[in-house]
Amino acid sequence: MAQASAAAALRRLRRPRDPSAAFLSSLLHSCFLSSTSAYSPVALHGPKPPAAAGSSITSSACSSSTCSRFDSYRRQSAAAATTTRALHHAPSSDGSSESTPTSQSQLLHFIKSTFGTLEGKNHCWLNAVNGIWKTFNQEGIYLVLLYQSHETLDGDSKHSAAFRKLKYLHQRYPHLNVFAMQYGSGISSLATQSQAVRTIMEEYITFPILLSDKDFTNMANGACYLLFEGSKDHIIFTKLDGDPELMIRGMEGFSALSAEPIENVVESGVPWQKEEVVKEPYVGSLRNLLLYHPGGLSIDEDGDRIFISDSNHHRIIISNGDGVILDCIGSSPGFEDGEFESAKLLHPAASFYHAAEDCLYIVDSENHAVRKADFGRRFLETVYPVFNKKGSGVWSWIIDKLGLTKEDASKKDDTSNIQDFDADSVVFPWHLLKISEDDLLVADRSFETSWILSMSTGEKKNIVRGRAEAMELCQQMIDERHALLKDIHINGSSGDKGHSNLLEKIPCNELVSSISRFRKCIVFCDTDGQRVQKHDLDTKETSNIHFTNVGVLGLPYWFVCRLEKVSTWGHSAGQFQDHNRKVNVLPGRCNIKVSVDIPVDTELATPLVESCIWRQVRGSGAGISESDAQDTTSEKVGIAQQWYDEIDNLAFSEAAEEPAVIKGDDKPADESHQDQKSVHFTCAVNVSPGSCELVASAALYLRVDRTKADHEDQKAVIKRILQCQGHEEHVGVELLTENHRDARDLVIMKPVHLRLRMECADHPAGTTNKETISTESSLEISITLE
């Protein structure tokens, strides 16, 4: 029924339109995201574009010519605006005036005084990823989003769209220094910091946020963007519903932002988006929660599957209705097609299960893409954007790594690619709905901009601008979600009123992707509580989904770093605690048993399994896998004799029958040594004379001990497990426990990192110089996680 009404609306939208009207409309909506802000833009001097009202729908066929004509216009407009506004400070057409030179000087002086200082008397930096605030200086160009701290930030607000616009410009112009500034209340206030931290997690903010207790209302006249050069003393303003890109392109130093190509970048598949590394928000150890901002879900009722977008962990978790984890899609942040274990996503959001194809369509938000997971092949591929895919063979990989791939002539000029961005491209999508047999509606978080894509080809058919037109396509689906919410509110038990109140805080647009009916339950995401809950329609009770079989998720990607990043453990997530040990060993096999004491007032949420353990041996040693872990002999054997024996074994031995594989849950690493207070895992190393190092990482899944009934005690234990240090971590725990009446159900991943250095002397002397003696030894290493 919902698809039928959507199809009818879609037919109306596809009727031929007046080309001139389409052009005028595209001029007005050429900004990447529309905003419903009540603020008026500060007037830009120069010719004004024609005005038009209402929402608009444009076809991708005319986007190229429209963008070219508008680009020429807005460069002239921006240049004129920049010169006039910076020098004369003229009043705007709506009667407001820009800040005086004195107030500009005060604001600019305060901002520059915070550079290089993490926290001061009147300021505090949050989300300072890898100390990025230290790089701010008197050089460069700065774009800042300025807003008051008492203003609400939610999915429907003008500020949410403003943050996304700032992210867009940050990606498009990597040399531009970008941050947000929240002013007007105490920097140590929990409410002030909570507002900023919630924004960081929800909007996936990777640039810093500056908190200030000073009041700049009379200078900024409300929320706005401001642009300045570090070496100059004036600021350019524009209101939220203005286009900050006009300021950037019009200023004198604009050419420096895009003239120099960026080296050592990874291309994401989106031609205008390039990143040196995948940047992630800084919230410390909060990422060690089992779920980290579950942003959306969909269901396969016939197959008893729930697809959960674990957005800030960049993966899709697949579980059944009882919480047993069946599979996982995504290995780490990035943009890469491949098998489920190796494919990469970046902040996935809504999803849609297509039963006929047995495929899951996924919105890959930060990659500005739509992906398709084929469960038959266990393969993730890209539906949109459509681009020439590279060969998947070994030879294609070698050619690509050697840099011998032939480039398209249209892509040789990196600068033109950045500047000639298609304004109609899908940018920061969030929602995904099927509106007809072959059409998908992809929309941003607030439904201000929507795109209609073909499921079969991935081509973009139409662009829908304005919330009213988008609502016409999916209003019935939103009404169905509201009906589920109403059912929980009316029929919930008295003890579930807290859950009902929580759901009422979810903006209506968010309901499209975060709540669904699953058999006799209503399943929904609680992003503040970092959990997924279900409401039983029979018992009228609401409870958390308790996930089991977490070994399927493996070791989290941030627990292990590449060899070249050994010196920076926990990249973009703070430093992990390494347990360093040094021992002397004899040459030969060394059996190592690692005993880990669980922190006080905690218990294992699930046994430690092999898939959650990573081992690597460096130097003069070699790791022994389980298949090679056969008993060795300490008998004296010559090297030549060992070589001949191996040849004989290969030539005359019969092939051993492969043991039967029994499918089921991953077995614990050492079943005989799993208890409630400690866990054990083993490593085996063949050591040769010299120095070697064993690096082992493991993920323990813990929860607060059941004896801890007091809420404040539970909060203290959680902070101790997470080792909270920064403001972001403490505020994150406060938000977390505020939404958990009983935090004992919360599952936390605790990392274990061991670095064992082994010094090995020469082999014991044999009866002849050609003989060596190998030994077998055992070690036990104890680790305490406190």
Side-chain angles (χ1 to χ4, degrees):
M1 190 67 182
Q3 289 187 10
S5 60
L10 185 59
R11 286 193 295 271
R12 292 195 298 272
L13 296 178
R14 289 177 175 170
R15 291 172 182 168
R17 306 178 66 236
D18 182 2
S20 60
F23 172 69
L24 293 177
S25 181
S26 65
L27 285 180
L28 291 178
H29 297 284
S30 60
C31 293
F32 134 80
L33 277 176
S34 300
S35 175
T36 56
S37 172
Y39 293 101
S40 300
V42 177
L44 295 178
H45 301 278
K48 296 182 181 181
S55 58
S56 66
I57 301 176
T58 61
S59 172
S60 59
C62 65
S63 61
S64 177
S65 60
T66 299
C67 290
S68 175
R69 296 166 68 182
F70 180 73
D71 191 57
S72 175
Y73 157 77
R74 68 178 181 180
R75 287 183 180 178
Q76 299 173 4
S77 177
T82 302
T83 304
T84 307
R85 291 161 57 93
L87 296 178
H88 303 293
H89 310 289
S92 64
S93 59
D94 62 355
S96 62
S97 61
E98 294 197 27
S99 56
T100 63
T102 302
S103 62
Q104 278 195 21
S105 176
Q106 293 174 354
L107 176 58
L108 191 58
H109 179 268
F110 174 79
I111 291 176
K112 290 183 178 181
S113 70
T114 67
F115 291 174
T117 307
L118 181 62
E119 188 172 357
K121 180 180 179 181
N122 302 112
H123 82 277
C124 174
W125 287 98
L126 296 181
N127 202 36
V129 183
N130 293 330
I132 190 173
W133 51 274
K134 296 178 182 178
T135 64
F136 291 163
N137 50 45
Q138 300 301 317
E139 302 296 331
I141 301 174
Y142 293 83
L143 178 64
V144 184
L145 171 61
L146 193 68
Y147 64 95
Q148 287 181 282
S149 61
H150 68 268
E151 295 177 305
T152 303
L153 289 171
D154 55 48
D156 288 327
S157 73
K158 54 186 176 294
H159 299 89
S160 182
F163 269 108
R164 290 195 293 275
K165 190 182 295 185
L166 203 62
K167 286 166 56 179
Y168 149 75
L169 293 172
H170 193 207
Q171 290 182 358
R172 244 193 118 183
Y173 305 102
H175 292 301
L176 185 68
N177 299 296
V178 172
F179 63 91
M181 181 174 173
Q182 178 179 308
Y183 68 90
S185 62
I187 58 177
S188 60
S189 166
L190 178 61
T192 301
Q193 296 183 2
S194 296
Q195 178 182 345
V197 170
R198 183 183 286 109
T199 301
I200 291 169
M201 292 190 291
E202 288 185 355
E203 299 293 340
Y204 200 78
I205 304 300
T206 59
F207 47 79
I209 295 182
L210 175 62
L211 302 184
S212 171
D213 60 2
K214 290 183 173 294
D215 187 2
F216 296 107
T217 306
N218 61 328
M219 303 178 192
N221 193 23
C224 64
Y225 300 100
L226 56 91
L227 184 72
F228 65 90
E229 294 186 58
S231 58
K232 298 184 179 179
D233 295 329
H234 65 265
I235 305 176
I236 308 171
F237 290 83
T238 186
K239 291 300 180 68
L240 289 191
D241 49 2
D243 187 358
E245 190 170 5
L246 295 179
M247 299 190 302
I248 296 173
R249 286 179 175 270
M251 69 184 308
E252 182 180 355
F254 166 72
S255 58
L257 294 177
S258 56
E260 298 180 4
I262 305 169
E263 299 180 357
N264 301 323
V265 298
V266 179
E267 191 165 350
S268 68
V270 181
W272 56 270
Q273 181 191 3
K274 295 184 177 181
E275 281 288 343
E276 294 181 5
V277 294
V278 177
K279 296 180 180 179
E280 299 187 74
Y282 180 84
V283 287
S285 298
L286 285 180
R287 62 159 41 174
N288 289 344
L289 300 170
L290 179 60
L291 295 178
Y292 180 27
H293 194 78
L297 58 82
S298 59
I299 57 101
D300 170 21
E301 197 161 3
D302 294 334
D304 189 23
R305 291 183 294 184
I306 303 176
F307 308 101
I308 303 165
S309 296
D310 191 5
S311 298
N312 289 359
H313 281 155
H314 316 289
R315 64 190 178 188
I316 305 294
I317 295 177
I318 306 165
S319 75
N320 64 16
D322 296 324
V324 179
I325 297 178
L326 308 173
D327 208 343
C328 181
I329 305 172
S331 60
S332 59
F335 192 1
E336 186 174 318
D337 292 346
E339 296 181 352
F340 287 176
E341 295 82 3
S342 59
K344 296 181 180 180
L345 298 159
L346 190 60
H347 198 57
S351 61
F352 163 74
Y353 177 70
H354 194 282
E357 298 179 355
D358 192 23
C359 292
L360 184 72
Y361 288 83
I362 305 164
V363 168
D364 196 355
S365 181
E366 294 295 315
N367 282 326
H368 319 291
V370 176
R371 317 289 290 277
K372 176 182 175 181
D374 188 328
F375 290 103
R377 297 183 297 143
R378 299 194 76 257
F379 194 86
L380 182 71
E381 57 188 351
T382 301
V383 175
Y384 176 90
V386 181
F387 56 90
N388 294 328
K389 298 182 179 179
K390 300 175 181 178
S392 58
V394 175
W395 184 247
S396 299
W397 180 85
I398 295 173
I399 293 296
D400 181 57
K401 291 301 180 184
L402 292 176
L404 303 178
T405 307
K406 293 183 180 179
E407 295 184 359
D408 188 348
S410 63
K411 296 183 179 180
K412 288 183 179 180
D413 189 353
D414 289 340
T415 302
S416 63
N417 283 337
I418 292 177
Q419 295 184 1
D420 295 339
F421 165 69
D422 181 5
D424 290 336
S425 294
V426 175
V427 184
F428 296 118
W430 189 260
H431 302 290
L432 180 65
L433 298 169
K434 184 182 179 184
I435 57 176
S436 70
E437 190 63 29
D438 187 53
D439 289 332
L440 291 174
L441 178 72
V442 180
D444 62 17
R445 190 186 291 263
S446 57
F447 282 97
E448 289 293 342
T449 306
S450 304
W451 304 266
I452 299 173
L453 307 180
S454 169
M455 290 178 60
S456 56
T457 65
E459 294 180 356
K460 185 173 52 195
K461 295 183 176 180
N462 284 298
I463 299 101
V464 182
R465 300 192 188 276
R467 190 176 303 179
E469 296 283 0
M471 290 297 102
E472 185 178 358
L473 294 173
C474 57
Q475 187 61 55
Q476 185 169 348
M477 303 176 195
I478 294 179
D479 291 341
E480 291 174 357
R481 268 53 171 198
H482 272 289
L484 297 178
L485 175 62
K486 183 178 180 181
D487 193 18
I488 295 178
H489 182 73
I490 296 175
N491 299 322
S493 63
S494 58
D496 284 334
K497 293 305 180 184
H499 300 290
S500 178
N501 294 335
L502 170 67
L503 280 170
E504 286 185 330
K505 297 178 182 178
I506 301 176
C508 63
N509 296 328
E510 295 289 331
L511 293 173
V512 176
S513 302
S514 60
I515 187 171
S516 182
R517 178 161 183 164
F518 184 72
R519 297 182 176 174
K520 296 184 178 180
C521 295
I522 299 174
V523 184
F524 58 93
C525 297
D526 175 12
T527 53
D528 281 348
Q530 313 299 339
R531 60 187 172 179
V532 177
Q533 297 187 285
K534 61 180 179 180
H535 175 77
D536 193 306
L537 296 174
D538 290 336
T539 64
K540 313 302 181 185
E541 296 292 334
T542 302
S543 60
N544 298 333
I545 294 181
H546 300 284
F547 294 100
T548 59
N549 196 30
V550 295
V552 172
L553 303 178
L555 192 69
Y557 67 89
W558 64 93
F559 276 21
V560 180
C561 60
R562 300 190 185 101
L563 285 174
E564 61 269 22
K565 294 184 179 294
V566 170
S567 60
T568 56
W569 280 81
H571 176 63
S572 79
Q575 295 291 326
F576 284 141
Q577 179 184 1
D578 280 347
H579 299 274
N580 300 304
R581 302 287 189 275
K582 183 177 180 180
V583 295
N584 296 318
V585 296
L586 295 174
R589 179 186 174 111
C590 183
N591 299 309
I592 304 167
K593 176 184 174 183
V594 182
S595 301
V596 183
D597 293 334
I598 296 174
V600 179
D601 298 327
T602 66
E603 62 186 27
L604 281 175
T606 184
L608 177 63
V609 294
E610 278 295 329
S611 59
C612 295
I613 304 172
W614 177 82
R615 309 172 180 86
Q616 187 178 69
V617 180
R618 307 164 183 167
S620 63
I624 302 176
S625 63
E626 290 186 359
S627 59
D628 298 328
Q630 301 176 355
D631 292 336
T632 59
T633 176
S634 59
E635 177 185 356
K636 293 185 293 181
V637 179
I639 296 176
Q641 185 61 49
Q642 293 180 17
W643 185 72
Y644 283 115
D645 288 344
E646 290 177 1
I647 294 178
D648 290 340
N649 291 335
L650 291 174
F652 302 106
S653 61
E654 295 182 359
E657 294 183 1
E658 294 185 0
V661 178
I662 302 175
K663 294 184 179 180
D665 291 349
D666 199 353
K667 293 184 178 180
D670 189 348
E671 287 187 86
S672 60
H673 293 94
Q674 301 285 340
D675 56 51
Q676 290 299 313
K677 298 303 176 185
S678 64
V679 293
H680 306 261
F681 63 92
T682 58
C683 310
V685 181
N686 267 336
V687 186
S688 300
S691 299
C692 68
E693 184 180 45
L694 167 67
V695 180
S697 298
L700 302 184
Y701 289 86
L702 307 175
R703 61 188 174 203
V704 179
D705 193 285
R706 290 295 171 184
T707 60
K708 292 290 180 180
D710 184 74
H711 191 70
E712 290 299 321
D713 290 342
Q714 295 171 5
K715 185 190 304 183
V717 173
I718 292 172
K719 288 186 176 182
R720 181 160 51 83
I721 298 174
L722 294 176
Q723 295 180 328
C724 295
Q725 296 178 354
H727 293 289
E728 298 93 340
E729 293 171 302
H730 285 283
V731 173
V733 172
E734 294 292 339
L735 286 173
L736 190 66
T737 54
E738 179 183 345
N739 290 275
H740 279 265
R741 292 178 299 177
D742 190 344
R744 289 175 293 185
D745 291 334
L746 195 65
V747 177
I748 303 172
M749 293 179 285
K750 182 68 176 178
V752 179
H753 296 291
L754 171 65
R755 301 172 68 91
L756 178 62
R757 185 177 181 86
M758 293 176 280
E759 299 289 345
C760 180
D762 291 336
H763 287 276
T767 55
T768 65
N769 292 334
K770 294 183 180 180
E771 293 180 327
T772 60
I773 298 177
S774 295
T775 62
E776 183 171 356
S777 57
S778 298
L779 293 174
E780 183 169 356
I781 306 297
S782 298
I783 295 176
T784 301
L785 299 179
E786 289 290 351

